[in-house]
Amino acid sequence: MDEKLKIKISIADRVYPLTVNFSQEEGLRSASKKIDVMMKQFEENYAVRDKQDVLAMCALQFASQVEQKQIDNSINGEETIERIKKLNALLDQYLDN
């Protein structure tokens, strides 16, 4: 069983104490760093002063990336199924002759 670990994650100059599985620590720390980097980019590229707005923009960016990956995987899955159906049809034709 995973060992529990108490960590502190900093996001937007706020510290959040968390109790997580040992296996989750690296992912959470990496995500925290990515959020901070993205926040800095938004603050530098857009005239946004409110941290809430910057956090909302980060949340939208990350959520859209996840959604796009799901859409891409769905499309690739449908394409694969269509290819398999075509191959099955070709095999059926070959076996019937």
Side-chain angles (χ1 to χ4, degrees), residues 26-39:
E26 184 178 353
L28 287 167
R29 291 194 188 282
S30 176
S32 170
K33 288 177 185 174
K34 286 182 180 180
I35 291 169
D36 282 338
V37 167
M38 188 178 289
M39 287 183 67

Side-chain angles (χ1 to χ4, degrees), residues 11-13 32-45 48 50-58 62:
I11 300 173
D13 301 324
S32 170
K33 288 177 185 174
K34 286 182 180 180
I35 291 169
D36 282 338
V37 167
M38 188 178 289
M39 287 183 67
K40 286 178 186 170
Q41 289 175 344
F42 280 127
E43 288 171 339
E44 289 172 3
N45 295 326
V48 182
D50 186 3
K51 291 277 188 200
Q52 183 70 32
D53 291 338
V54 177
L55 285 168
M57 292 168 71
C58 288
F62 282 118

Side-chain angles (χ1 to χ4, degrees), residues 19-92:
T19 301
V20 300
N21 291 330
F22 181 77
S23 61
Q24 295 175 305
E25 180 188 13
E26 184 178 353
L28 287 167
R29 291 194 188 282
S30 176
S32 170
K33 288 177 185 174
K34 286 182 180 180
I35 291 169
D36 282 338
V37 167
M38 188 178 289
M39 287 183 67
K40 286 178 186 170
Q41 289 175 344
F42 280 127
E43 288 171 339
E44 289 172 3
N45 295 326
Y46 303 99
V48 182
R49 295 178 189 257
D50 186 3
K51 291 277 188 200
Q52 183 70 32
D53 291 338
V54 177
L55 285 168
M57 292 168 71
C58 288
L60 179 60
Q61 182 76 16
F62 282 118
S64 68
Q65 290 171 359
V66 169
E67 289 298 317
Q68 190 60 50
K69 283 182 183 178
Q70 288 178 344
I71 290 168
D72 292 346
N73 289 339
S74 173
I75 290 170
N76 289 339
E78 291 172 10
E79 288 176 5
T80 302
I81 290 170
E82 286 304 313
R83 287 180 183 170
I84 291 172
K85 286 179 182 178
K86 288 178 183 178
L87 285 172
N88 279 337
L90 288 172
L91 286 171
D92 286 342

